[in-house]
Amino acid sequence: MQCSKTMKKYLNLAGSSLMALALLSSCASGSYSSANGGEVTGVPAPTWSEPTPYGMVLVSRGSIKAGPQEADSLWGLRADARGVSVDAFWMDETEVTNAKYKQFVFWVRDSIIRERLADPAYGGNEEYKIEEDREGNPITPRLNWSKAIPWRNPDEDEQRAIESVYRTNPITGARELDHEQLNYRYEIYNHTEAAKRKNRVNRERRDYNTDRPTPTDDPMISKDTAYIDDNGVIQRRTITRRLTGDYDFVNTYIVNVYPDTTAWINDFDNAYNEPYMRMYFSHGGYNDYPVVGVSWEQANAYCNWRTDFLRRSIGREGVYIEPYRLPTEAEWEFAARAGVSDNKYPWEGDLPLTEEKGCFYANFKPQEGNYVQDGHVITAKVGTYSPNDFGLYDMAGNVSEWTSTAFTESVSTLTSDLNPEYRYDAAMEDPYKMKRKIVRGGSWKDVAHNIRSDLRMWEYQNEQRSYIGFRCVRSQIGFARGQKAKK
C-alpha cells in the first residue's frame, strides 16, 4: 500500500522536525578541586534544549477558577468552581487528524510485516531484525527499520509476508487491511505508584516514624498485563501480588489500534451514515479531519507510540524524554479557556457566534435538526475556525476530546489544587462504572451549551464514538517562555 502525497508530506515534515531535536549536554567535570578558594559553587547538572515540538503550542503555567462559576437550574448545574494551578506544557494546536493517526496504524502494520519477513516461515531474512550491537554483543532483538519492505517486486516469501496482514472482503472481494491483526504492545512504568513511600522496596524507608517498628510484610501490588491467546484474542489481566521489586510497577498493554468505523452507524439509530463508515477514515478527502472512533485506550497507545517514535528518530533509545500523553482535565480546561476564569468558552462572551455578523466560532449543532447552519454536517477540517488566545484550534465543538482523568462524581474533592489529576487504572474485573474517563469540549453533534469549556462530561474508556477524538500534550521542561495567561 502506497502513502498518499498528503501522507508523504506529513511524514517528511514530521521527520525533519524530530531530527531537529538536539540534546545538548552541559558536562559537569565531577571535580571537587579547591580552585574556587574552597567555596562551594555547585556542580551543574546536564541540561538539554527543547525546541517547539512539531504542531504544538506552548501553554505557559498559570491558574484558573475551574468549573462553572454560576448555577443553572435549567441544565442542573451548580456553581462549584475552584482555583487550580497548572505547570507549563506543550499542546497539539489541533485535534489529532486521520492522517496522523493513520501513520500510527501503518507503523503497526509495517512492524508486523517486518516481524514476518524475519520469521523462517516467511523466508527468515535476518536483516529485518537487529540482535547484536556494533561490537557484536547480543542485545534484546528489535526490528530494523532501516531495512525497507519490498513493496515492489517481492519474492514469493516476501509477498506472503506482506499479504498476510491483508484480507479479501468476502462480500465485495476487495483487498483490505485485516484490522484484527493490528495490535500494538507497549509497557508503561508507573512512576507515581513506585514513588509512594508505602511501596518502597526498602522496608526501612516506608515509614519515617521511629516509634513504629520496621514493617515485616510487603504491600500488595496490582499491575496490568496482557497477552494474545492461541485464537488471536487479546487477553487482559490485572495481577495482584506482594511487592518483589521495581518490575512490579511495569504495566503491559496490548491494544488493537484501528478506529471503529462502525461508530457512525451505532451512534445513530435509523440514519443513513454508511458513507461515513466506509470513507471517513480511509478516504484522502478526510485526511485533515479529526480522527474519531478511537477509545481512551487507543488514544493512550498512540501517545506511547508517538513518544517512542520521537525517541528512535533522535537516536536516544533508552534515554528518558518527556512523553506525549493525554492532557489532564485541569490542563485541558486551562488551555481551552486561555487561562481566563471568566471565559465559559475558548473566547470572550457567552455565545458561540458573533452577534454582529452571525459568524460561528465553532462546529456544533446550532438548532434542533440543523447541523449545517455553521457550514458543516459532521466534523470540520481541523483549524477551520479561529484559534483561541493561546493559538489552539477547535477547543470547543468539532469533536469532544479524551483527557487522562478518571471520572467519579466527587472527582473535584479528591484532587489537589496543584496540577490536579485523578487516575484510576480500572482492572478487568472492576464494575463498568469505574472505567469512566472525562471528555471535554463537546462536539459537532452538541448544542451550544454542551460545548462550553467549563463543563465536565465522561465516557467509558473502551467506547469508540463518532464524536470523540483527542489531542496530545507534553510537559514543558524548564521555565516556560511564551504567551502569558490573562488575568
Side-chain angles (χ1 to χ4, degrees):
M1 180 179 291
Q2 301 295 317
C3 296
S4 66
K5 291 182 178 179
T6 303
M7 178 64 73
K8 288 180 179 179
K9 180 180 179 182
Y10 169 77
L11 293 174
N12 290 336
L13 285 171
S16 61
S17 176
L18 293 172
M19 292 304 292
L21 181 59
L23 300 180
L24 306 176
S25 295
S26 175
C27 299
S29 65
S31 172
Y32 302 100
S33 67
S34 57
N36 294 309
E39 298 292 343
V40 174
T41 58
V43 176
T47 60
W48 56 92
S49 65
E50 186 184 49
T52 301
Y54 178 78
M56 287 187 150
V57 297
L58 178 63
V59 177
S60 298
R61 62 171 64 97
S63 63
I64 194 173
K65 291 287 186 181
Q69 297 189 60
E70 300 173 357
D72 189 333
S73 58
L74 178 64
W75 290 94
L77 288 180
R78 60 186 181 89
D80 62 353
R82 66 170 188 140
V84 299
S85 295
V86 294
D87 211 339
F89 57 94
W90 301 96
M91 189 176 218
D92 283 335
E93 63 181 354
T94 70
E95 294 142 344
V96 173
T97 62
N98 282 320
K100 290 181 179 180
Y101 193 84
K102 198 173 295 180
Q103 185 177 353
F104 177 35
V105 172
F106 284 177
W107 185 94
V108 173
R109 176 202 65 182
D110 293 354
S111 68
I112 295 171
I113 292 175
R114 283 186 165 84
E115 283 282 0
R116 290 176 183 167
L117 287 169
D119 189 333
Y122 293 91
N125 189 336
E126 296 179 353
E127 294 183 28
Y128 286 98
K129 267 209 173 165
I130 299 173
E131 299 182 345
E132 297 179 346
D133 61 19
R134 294 180 179 179
E135 286 73 37
N137 301 312
I139 60 174
T140 302
R142 67 174 185 269
L143 295 177
N144 181 9
W145 285 88
S146 65
K147 176 67 175 175
I149 294 174
W151 296 107
R152 297 182 179 180
N153 303 317
D155 61 29
E156 183 177 347
D157 288 331
E158 292 169 340
Q159 183 68 29
R160 286 194 304 113
I162 293 172
E163 291 300 320
S164 69
V165 299
Y166 291 88
R167 66 186 287 267
T168 300
N169 189 300
I171 305 301
T172 66
R175 176 179 179 266
E176 60 189 22
L177 271 174
D178 185 357
H179 304 164
E180 297 297 325
Q181 295 190 52
L182 301 180
N183 300 321
Y184 176 71
R185 181 186 184 278
Y186 68 103
E187 294 182 338
I188 291 289
Y189 182 76
N190 193 329
H191 289 273
T192 300
E193 286 300 311
K196 291 180 178 178
R197 287 182 179 177
K198 67 177 183 178
N199 292 335
R200 287 174 175 169
V201 177
N202 185 345
R203 295 174 180 174
E204 294 181 354
R205 299 189 64 234
R206 292 178 191 162
D207 190 344
Y208 289 166
N209 188 337
T210 56
D211 290 339
R212 290 194 284 260
T214 300
T216 57
D217 293 331
D218 293 316
M220 300 298 292
I221 297 297
S222 294
K223 62 176 292 183
D224 295 328
T225 186
Y227 65 95
I228 298 178
D229 65 20
D230 294 337
N231 296 318
V233 178
I234 298 173
Q235 299 292 340
R236 298 182 177 90
R237 297 287 184 270
T238 299
I239 300 173
T240 301
R241 65 186 183 191
R242 291 287 179 186
L243 173 65
T244 60
D246 290 336
Y247 190 76
D248 289 325
F249 301 103
V250 176
N251 296 276
T252 303
Y253 301 98
I254 300 177
V255 179
N256 186 275
V257 303
Y258 204 84
D260 183 7
T261 58
T262 68
W264 291 103
I265 303 296
N266 292 303
D267 287 342
F268 302 92
D269 292 333
N270 301 315
Y272 182 66
N273 288 338
E274 289 182 20
Y276 305 141
M277 179 183 70
R278 291 192 296 266
M279 308 297 286
Y280 186 80
F281 185 66
S282 60
H283 193 280
Y286 290 104
N287 278 343
D288 296 324
Y289 285 66
V291 67
V292 296
V294 173
S295 69
W296 181 87
E297 295 166 353
Q298 290 174 312
N300 276 289
Y302 175 91
C303 292
N304 181 270
W305 165 79
R306 188 173 174 182
T307 303
D308 282 347
F309 186 76
L310 171 63
R311 186 182 291 111
R312 284 190 300 269
S313 297
I314 62 176
R316 292 283 174 169
E317 291 189 53
V319 174
Y320 181 81
I321 61 173
E322 281 298 320
Y324 291 98
R325 55 183 175 81
L326 293 178
T328 67
E329 181 191 29
E331 288 173 333
W332 193 97
E333 182 172 341
F334 178 80
R337 299 169 72 178
V340 181
S341 298
D342 291 336
N343 283 357
K344 292 180 181 178
Y345 295 94
W347 50 83
E348 294 181 6
D350 293 341
L351 294 175
L353 70 161
T354 59
E355 294 181 358
E356 299 82 8
K357 299 181 180 180
C359 297
F360 288 94
Y361 290 151
N363 178 22
F364 66 110
K365 184 169 72 170
Q367 297 178 12
E368 182 179 357
N370 188 348
Y371 293 87
V372 300
Q373 188 178 357
D374 60 5
H376 305 276
V377 178
I378 55 169
T379 56
K381 184 180 294 186
V382 298
T384 297
Y385 299 88
S386 298
N388 70 0
D389 286 347
F390 279 179
L392 299 166
Y393 295 86
D394 301 316
M395 295 298 283
N398 215 17
V399 292
S400 298
E401 299 179 16
W402 291 111
T403 73
S404 61
T405 308
F407 175 81
T408 178
E409 286 74 7
S410 57
V411 62
S412 294
T413 63
L414 297 174
T415 54
S416 170
D417 57 2
L418 172 63
N419 294 318
E421 172 68 326
Y422 175 68
R423 292 199 176 188
Y424 183 77
D425 296 325
M428 286 297 294
E429 61 271 18
D430 279 341
Y432 200 38
K433 69 176 295 184
M434 299 179 71
K435 301 175 183 179
R436 296 175 293 179
K437 307 300 180 185
I438 292 174
V439 294
R440 285 301 201 114
S443 74
W444 58 270
K445 73 168 189 61
D446 289 311
V447 296
H449 175 272
N450 290 342
I451 66 171
R452 282 173 47 171
S453 303
D454 58 348
L455 298 187
R456 173 184 295 141
M457 300 180 186
W458 60 266
E459 184 55 89
Y460 295 104
Q461 66 185 49
N462 63 338
E463 278 287 2
Q464 299 158 293
R465 299 294 191 182
S466 60
Y467 47 85
I468 298 180
F470 69 102
R471 71 181 78 207
C472 302
V473 299
R474 281 180 68 192
S475 296
Q476 199 264 354
I477 299 174
F479 294 103
R481 301 184 183 90
Q483 68 272 22
K484 295 182 178 179
K486 294 181 179 180
K487 301 299 183 182

